[in-house]
Amino acid sequence: MGLIKEIKSKEYRVGITPTGVAALIARGHQVHVEQGAGIGSGFSDQSYEQAGAKIVGTKQAWDQELVVKVKEPIEPEYRYLKQQIVFTYFHLAGVPWALTEALLAGKTSAVAYETLEDENGRLPLLAPMSAVAGNMSVQMGCHYLACCNGGKGVMLGSVLGKRHGNVLIIGDGVVGSHAARTAYGLGANVTVAGLFPENAARLQHEISSEIGFVISDPATIAEHVRSADLVVGAVLTHGARAAHVVTEAMVKTMQPGSVVVDVSIDQGGCIETAHLTTHEAPVFEKHGVVHYCVGNMPGAYPRTSTLALTDATLPYLLKLADKGLSALEQDARFAKALNTYQGYITCLPVAEAYAMQEHFRAFPAAFANA
């Protein structure tokens, strides 16, 4: 197995901790760690060697039957994509077609963290990073609302018992729940827009009865966007490109210096005026509104993110290491993680995002006799 050093801009996370490597070694697997892979998260090469891994160069780390990363391969890494299993976040429906094309050409088995489901239909490997991003969305909103950072000068916080700042969170899943908890904890007025009324009771029980909840429809979203100081886009459709729930016309109604944070940007974004940014240049202004749309938000807190991610991924990684793709054949929900295989797209929402249904084949049924 190979553990890759991330080369995406300002990405410091790593796919496995030394403790995770030790668990793999104990199962009889060899682990090749690319030199410097864990340094950004506070894990030295020596700590991986002490866990039993071998420190190697880039090519040797990639040249393994199973490769583990955090973020999707980027263009300089395409040449390494061969007939191996790559276990990482891909977000294929929201990134340029070139990556999917490279995976198909290399006949790579792309096993995506973000489409793996548990027995309840939830996304257990997306959840830890969604939680971090949800917390961060409000922190970044606070930062950019300051006048000195281009914002309107509204604090999200309680001052002598009075709440200040209006936060609208669109989406009531893991991102939305964590964003709501953080915003309310700071002292802001918080409204969550969701599709399921029963989630109102959950949020109000878990956080506060003062949390507002509205049903997410265009008219209601438009009304609340107009008065929001911070809008957090937290919409997710499993494996598919995000829908635009905040239109450009809605953004135009916001007061100058307001902030939007589109956490859905990995899947294409749920705010029409959003486009992908990086930690090096995280924001831009459109119609007087500050937009924060960083695609790898949790990379800003790599130590916490790596520990949380490994806790979630390690049980599945051990299955992949032990059984290869047979582990997916034996578990239909694990099989949903497979996005490409033998030169075909195996995740229908990805094929639909690019109108490439002719490249879709279901796994494992379509390959049973291959």
Side-chain angles (χ1 to χ4, degrees), residues 11-140:
E11 180 53 73
Y12 303 111
R13 289 172 289 178
V14 64
I16 322 171
T17 62
T19 300
V21 166
L24 286 157
I25 298 292
R27 300 276 273 263
H29 301 293
Q30 294 183 347
V31 181
H32 297 78
V33 175
E34 183 176 352
Q35 185 176 12
I39 290 175
S41 294
F43 301 114
S44 66
D45 288 346
Q46 184 181 13
S47 67
Y48 284 106
E49 287 180 314
Q50 290 172 344
K54 181 179 181 182
I55 305 301
V56 299
T58 303
K59 185 178 184 303
Q60 190 173 351
W62 276 99
D63 195 20
Q64 305 297 323
E65 294 179 7
L66 171 62
V67 166
V68 179
K69 294 180 86 278
V70 177
K71 290 300 293 178
E72 76 281 354
I74 60 176
E75 194 278 330
E77 297 172 308
Y78 292 174
R79 58 184 170 143
Y80 299 119
L81 295 173
K82 300 175 183 177
Q83 295 186 24
Q84 76 271 72
I85 301 170
V86 179
F87 193 34
T88 191
Y89 288 115
F90 282 100
H91 298 289
L92 292 181
V95 300
W97 166 251
L99 172 56
T100 304
E101 188 174 40
L103 292 165
L104 299 180
K107 295 188 175 181
T108 303
S109 297
V111 182
Y113 296 157
E114 73 275 4
T115 56
L116 185 152
E117 293 185 3
D118 64 15
E119 63 275 8
N120 298 309
R122 294 189 290 255
L123 305 174
L125 306 192
L126 190 60
M129 297 304 93
S130 294
V132 173
N135 292 338
M136 276 188 69
S137 67
V138 177
Q139 295 172 349
M140 294 301 101

Side-chain angles (χ1 to χ4, degrees), residues 8-12 144 277-283 292 294 296:
K8 192 180 183 83
S9 174
K10 301 294 183 180
E11 180 53 73
Y12 303 111
Y144 288 105
T277 63
T278 68
H279 287 296
E280 290 177 318
V283 296
Y292 179 97
V294 174
N296 59 326

Side-chain angles (χ1 to χ4, degrees), residues 231-247:
V231 174
V232 175
V235 173
L236 174 68
T237 303
H238 292 201
R241 187 169 291 165
H244 288 155
V245 296
V246 177
T247 66

Side-chain angles (χ1 to χ4, degrees), residues 178-244:
H178 278 73
R181 186 184 302 277
T182 301
Y184 183 81
L186 286 171
N189 301 297
V190 181
T191 300
V192 177
L195 296 175
F196 305 104
E198 59 269 24
N199 283 342
R202 175 182 60 82
L203 289 167
Q204 290 167 353
H205 173 73
E206 292 178 355
I207 304 172
S208 170
S209 60
E210 294 182 323
I211 295 289
F213 188 92
V214 297
I215 297 299
S216 183
D217 62 63
T220 302
I221 295 297
E223 176 187 350
H224 285 80
V225 163
R226 189 179 302 114
S227 59
D229 301 303
L230 169 64
V231 174
V232 175
V235 173
L236 174 68
T237 303
H238 292 201
R241 187 169 291 165
H244 288 155

